[in-house]
């Protein structure tokens, strides 16, 4: 808040604002946000919602929402700040451009690619006018604009602005590593391949039926063709031959070939050599290798080492897999709150497994509407576990019609898996008072080892007047190790002893 605005009558606005700023500087967006939200509410009440004097609060909220990965709120506050920026900084001031840049990032996260493109275009003009093309700020703006054009499918414009970024990066030392990583990732996305040392063109598209063409060019020394040929051979199961071509291209210094080699080595059980190859490729700027290295380290129970590589892959624009893997890395380190934010980031980028994770977490917290949104998003991918999760969630809402939809989902899942979905469907039908329909599903699940289905069958057959079957299912559940079944068996009265059909000696 500017000194001129620190009128004592506005203390209820600027005091929480200053507290929020200090918490933000200390790296605590979770604690800064409530203070800044309090300041904004007070400012809107005292000065009106459209006041230019709210700019600093809105910008602070925007930045902290970004840090907290709350992208919808970040986008809203960024756009509101930009409405006031010309009156505060000037329409062509680099600070205004910086807010455009970060707001565009937030808009992309929520799927508003066209709106993000417009802001990136304006920011490119502002930074170029302020600093020229050989400046880190302009390089960053050009990289972001290239990515924005890629997001809307315009490769030609993306190529032009990426060329500006690459030329600018060659004449300045201040470009951050994550921007250089994104630059390389955009180049691969544009060219869909790599260039050989002689400058020969890369193949624009991967096509398995072009193996003869790839082979001829690879034998002629084209490293891009070597990588393509290796990929075709690997997909055909001809791994030894693929490995030879990857090694040949890697020997020419082609990072994607080294990364592909590392992935192949890992799949064939040569983890130590794979790690070295992936680390070298990732260090050379191969984003896919950085992600695969993160997977290797995560699977090797080294989550702390995996974290920076996955973060690098995410920041370079490889979405949504690195965000999901980052969530798993953080979860394994016991950093559950951070993991939850990354699961949400990956879910908002369309990752089905993360969507399921977010949905379950929201359901556990009582956020029914939020849980349903993410669980439906996950189930849309058609995975068995996600169909089950949505079906179970709907079976418990108590809303009219939800149980019918839950039954349909569980039937779809039960057609794919004879065990858990069948048992859950049988239990749902029992709850609805449909025992005759439930029994075949429960038998199917129990026959495949589902202990819960065995217990439900014991109760069902007992209620239907079939005690021998009830006892049989109870014993099977106890033999499978279920303590509840074992306890019930112990409580049953002992069977009457048979009378002996013979006499003992000496008895009359």
């Amino acid at each position: 808040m500017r000194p001129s605005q620190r009128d004592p009558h506005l203390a209820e606005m600027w005091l929480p604002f200053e507290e929020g700023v200090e918490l933000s500087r200390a790296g605590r967006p979770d604690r800064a946000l409530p203070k800044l939200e309090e300041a904004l509410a007070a400012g809107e009440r005292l000065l009106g919602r459209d006041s230019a004097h709210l700019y600093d609060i809105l910008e602070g909220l925007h930045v902290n929402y970004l840090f907290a990965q709350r992208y919808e709120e970040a986008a809203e506050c960024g756009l509101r700040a930009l409405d006031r920026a010309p009156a505060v900084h000037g329409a062509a001031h680099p600070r205004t451009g910086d807010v455009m840049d970060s707001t565009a990032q937030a808009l992309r996260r929520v799927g508003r690619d066209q709106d993000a493109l417009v802001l990136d275009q304006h920011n490119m003009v502002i930074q170029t006018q302020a600093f020229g093309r050989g400046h880190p700020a302009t390089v960053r703006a050009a990289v972001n604009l290239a990515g924005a054009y890629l997001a809307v499918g315009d490769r030609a414009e993306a190529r032009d602005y990426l060329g500006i970024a690459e030329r600018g990066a060659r004449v300045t030392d201040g470009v951050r590593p994550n921007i250089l990583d994104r630059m390389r990732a955009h180049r691969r996305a544009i060219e869909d391949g790599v260039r050989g040392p002689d400058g020969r063109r890369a193949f624009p598209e991967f096509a398995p039926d072009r193996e003869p063409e790839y082979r001829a060019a690879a034998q002629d020394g084209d490293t891009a063709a070597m990588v393509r040929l290796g990929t075709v051979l690997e997909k055909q199961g001809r791994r030894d031959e693929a490995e030879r071509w990857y090694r040949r291209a890697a020997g020419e210094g082609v990072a994607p070939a080294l990364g592909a080699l590392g992935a192949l080595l890992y799949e064939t059980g040569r983890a130590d050599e794979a790690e070295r190859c992936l680390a070298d490729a990732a260090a050379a700027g191969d984003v896919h290798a950085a992600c695969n290295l993160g997977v290797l380290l995560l699977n090797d129970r080294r989550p702390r080492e995996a974290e920076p590589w996955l973060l690098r892959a995410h920041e370079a624009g490889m979405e949504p897999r690195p965000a999901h893997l980052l969530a798993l890395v953080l979860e394994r380190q016991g950093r559950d709150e951070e993991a939850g934010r990354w699961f949400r980031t990956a879910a908002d980028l369309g990752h089905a497994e993360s969507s399921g994770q977010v949905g379950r977490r929201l359901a556990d917290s009582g956020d029914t509407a939020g849980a349903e949104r993410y669980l439906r998003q996950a189930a849309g991918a058609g995975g068995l576990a996600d169909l089950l999760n949505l079906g179970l969630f709907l079976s418990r809402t108590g809303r009219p019609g939800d149980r019918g939809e839950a039954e349909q989902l569980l039937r779809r899942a039960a057609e794919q898996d004879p065990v858990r979905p069948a048992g859950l469907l049988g239990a749902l039908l029992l709850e609805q008072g449909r025992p005759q329909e439930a029994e075949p599903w429960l038998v199917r699940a129990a026959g495949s080892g589902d202990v819960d289905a065995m217990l439900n069958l014991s109760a069902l057959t007992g209620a239907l007047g079939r005690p021998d079957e009830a006892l049989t299912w109870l014993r099977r559940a106890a033999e499978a190790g279920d303590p509840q079944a074992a306890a019930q068996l112990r409580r049953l009265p002992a069977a009457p002893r048979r009378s002996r059909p013979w006499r003992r000696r000496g008895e009359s």
Side-chain angles (χ1 to χ4, degrees), residues 309-462:
W309 292 111
L310 294 171
L311 184 61
R312 188 170 181 175
H314 172 75
E315 289 178 343
M318 185 183 176
E319 299 170 343
R321 188 169 178 243
H324 174 73
L325 292 168
L326 270 168
L328 297 178
V329 161
L330 294 165
E331 192 175 50
R332 293 206 184 164
Q333 296 178 62
R335 296 154 62 184
D336 196 59
E337 186 175 342
E338 293 175 81
R341 290 199 295 268
W342 280 107
F343 276 131
R344 190 153 193 161
T345 295
D348 290 339
L349 292 169
H351 195 280
E353 189 175 341
S354 280
S355 297
Q357 284 273 4
V358 174
R360 290 191 294 275
R361 286 167 177 250
L362 291 173
D364 290 343
S365 70
D367 183 351
T368 303
E372 182 172 357
R373 172 194 162 195
Y374 283 101
L375 290 172
R376 286 191 181 280
Q377 183 174 308
L384 179 62
D386 297 316
L387 290 174
L388 275 180
N389 287 330
L390 179 59
L392 288 172
F393 170 79
L394 292 173
S395 71
R396 296 165 182 159
T397 63
R399 297 180 308 199
D402 278 1
R403 286 196 167 222
E405 186 180 356
E407 181 181 337
Q408 292 175 3
L409 289 166
L410 292 176
R411 284 185 185 276
R412 280 176 57 192
E415 289 168 1
Q416 301 176 42
D417 188 310
V419 188
R420 188 161 182 256
L424 292 171
L425 176 59
L428 178 65
L429 293 169
L430 280 180
E431 291 173 4
Q432 295 177 351
R434 297 154 66 185
Q436 292 181 336
E437 294 177 66
E439 187 171 355
W441 292 107
L442 293 172
V443 169
R444 178 178 171 181
S448 298
D450 186 332
V451 174
D452 288 335
M454 295 175 194
L455 288 171
N456 283 332
L457 276 170
S458 177
L460 172 61
T461 52

Side-chain angles (χ1 to χ4, degrees), residues 114-343:
Q114 196 64 48
D115 293 336
L117 173 61
V118 172
L119 291 183
D120 282 325
Q121 289 169 330
H122 287 308
N123 181 45
M124 182 67 194
V125 172
I126 290 172
Q127 304 298 345
T128 304
Q129 290 176 345
F131 302 115
R133 291 192 173 182
H135 189 277
T138 311
V139 172
R140 174 189 170 94
V143 170
N144 287 343
L145 185 51
Y149 276 117
L150 279 173
V152 298
D154 192 337
R155 283 192 176 191
E157 289 288 348
R159 183 180 291 109
D160 290 343
Y161 282 100
L162 187 60
I164 292 171
E166 290 169 337
R167 291 189 290 274
R170 285 196 288 268
V171 298
T172 180
D173 296 327
V175 181
R176 295 173 58 185
N178 68 310
I179 300 300
L180 294 173
D181 284 345
R182 290 175 59 201
M183 188 186 303
R184 297 183 188 105
H186 291 341
R187 173 57 64 190
R188 281 191 295 276
I190 291 167
E191 302 297 344
D192 197 19
V194 292
R195 291 185 182 273
D198 57 355
R200 294 176 61 172
R201 71 173 181 83
F203 289 94
E205 295 178 359
F206 171 69
D209 59 351
R210 292 173 65 183
E211 181 188 341
E213 183 180 346
Y214 294 153
R215 187 178 295 277
Q219 290 171 342
D220 197 31
D222 189 331
T223 53
M226 294 177 196
V227 177
R228 290 301 195 200
L229 178 59
T231 305
V232 170
L233 295 168
E234 186 178 357
K235 289 183 180 296
Q236 293 174 354
R238 297 153 65 184
R239 289 180 168 178
D240 291 343
E241 193 178 353
E243 182 179 336
R244 289 196 295 273
W245 284 110
Y246 287 150
R247 287 190 184 276
R248 184 172 168 182
E252 298 288 342
V254 179
L258 191 59
L261 175 61
L264 177 60
L265 291 169
Y266 186 59
E267 288 178 6
T268 53
R270 291 169 281 175
D272 291 341
E273 189 182 358
E275 183 176 345
R276 290 194 296 272
C277 288
L278 291 171
D280 289 344
D286 189 312
V287 178
H288 291 278
C291 185
N292 286 333
L293 179 58
V295 172
L296 183 153
L297 294 167
L298 177 61
N299 290 340
D300 199 35
R301 300 182 181 180
R302 294 150 65 188
R304 289 190 182 278
E305 294 177 62
E307 185 177 345
W309 292 111
L310 294 171
L311 184 61
R312 188 170 181 175
H314 172 75
E315 289 178 343
M318 185 183 176
E319 299 170 343
R321 188 169 178 243
H324 174 73
L325 292 168
L326 270 168
L328 297 178
V329 161
L330 294 165
E331 192 175 50
R332 293 206 184 164
Q333 296 178 62
R335 296 154 62 184
D336 196 59
E337 186 175 342
E338 293 175 81
R341 290 199 295 268
W342 280 107
F343 276 131

